[in-house]
Amino acid sequence: GAGVSQSPSNKVTEKGKDVELRCDPISGHTALYWYRQSLGQGLEFLIYFQGNSAPDKSGLPSDRFSAERTGGSVSTLTIQRTQQEDSAVYLCASSRGSQTIYNEQFFGPGTRLTVL
Amino acid sequence: GIQVEQSPPDLILQEGANSTLRCNFSDSVNNLQWFHQNPWGQLINLFYIPSGTKQNGRLSATTVATERYSLLYISSSQTTDSGVYFCAVSNDYKLSFGAGTTVTVRA
């Protein structure tokens, strides 16, 4: 079956612009996660959705970052007024659920964001 | 969050050699996953192994949850095994990743 898909695969933007990153989880997966991977920070958690609700936004680095999920499926991560330190690979993952046995996470190919 | 330490940070192998990668973690977990990050950056699932032992071809993994560590074994290594191997753990839903082990297999 189809895996997690993300778009765009690459995004180059100018400092101060807004960007939207999209994630399509595996069909039937109720839990969705955003992470980012950068050289200095490794892989870090950003936000978790169960259905359309985001009970944990604790990893979002600033109020310029927001995310939503609609229809229990597609999610969009929005970064407003981008800064150079936002440059990273943004990874999306999904799992069948968040309880043990169902919580194996599967990752998409990522969106590489470069802020000039 | 849970602290995750992976060792060694780098590993250079001759094709055909065997190796062991280690992951230590600081708290009890309900999820432990091993990933291989390919040259294009994709995280490939190797094992979901919060406890016990599993094998998949030339790879196997063991997690001793009571002692808070996991081991990934690579046997008869091939050049295609090169890349970064990550261990990630969770006791709720968010994965905490180690810094990875970079494996280079030389022909």
Side-chain angles (χ1 to χ4, degrees), chain A residues 4 33 35 37 43-45 48 55-56 58-59 89 91 98-110 112, chain B residues 29-33 35 37 40-48 50 54 86 90 92-99:
Chain A
V4 178
Y33 317 79
Y35 297 82
Q37 185 174 24
L43 275 146
E44 54 181 343
F45 167 83
Y48 155 66
D56 187 352
S58 64
V89 177
L91 295 164
S98 57
Q99 302 299 312
T100 302
I101 298 179
Y102 302 112
N103 58 352
E104 182 178 6
Q105 296 185 24
F106 296 86
F107 282 77
R112 182 175 297 278
Chain B
V29 298
N30 68 359
N31 183 356
L32 188 147
Q33 293 183 238
F35 298 93
Q37 190 164 42
W40 297 271
Q42 173 92 49
L43 286 170
I44 307 298
N45 288 43
L46 297 178
F47 293 102
Y48 169 79
K54 291 185 177 179
F86 288 102
S90 172
D92 46 22
Y93 41 78
K94 53 188 171 187
L95 288 174
S96 296
F97 284 80

Side-chain angles (χ1 to χ4, degrees), chain B residues 73-86:
Chain B
Y73 305 96
I74 305 174
S75 65
S76 304
S77 57
Q78 300 178 359
T79 56
T80 52
D81 295 331
S82 296
V84 184
Y85 289 79
F86 288 102

Side-chain angles (χ1 to χ4, degrees), chain A residues 39-87:
Chain A
L39 282 176
Q41 301 297 323
L43 275 146
E44 54 181 343
F45 167 83
L46 298 179
I47 188 170
Y48 155 66
F49 286 91
Q50 180 58 49
N52 293 333
S53 300
D56 187 352
K57 305 178 182 180
S58 64
L60 295 177
S62 77
D63 58 8
R64 296 185 294 104
F65 287 70
S66 62
E68 65 175 11
R69 189 180 184 194
T70 56
S73 181
V74 171
S75 176
T76 302
L77 177 69
T78 301
I79 309 173
Q80 295 179 310
R81 305 181 303 281
T82 51
Q83 304 295 312
Q84 288 182 334
E85 62 261 29
D86 300 334
S87 296

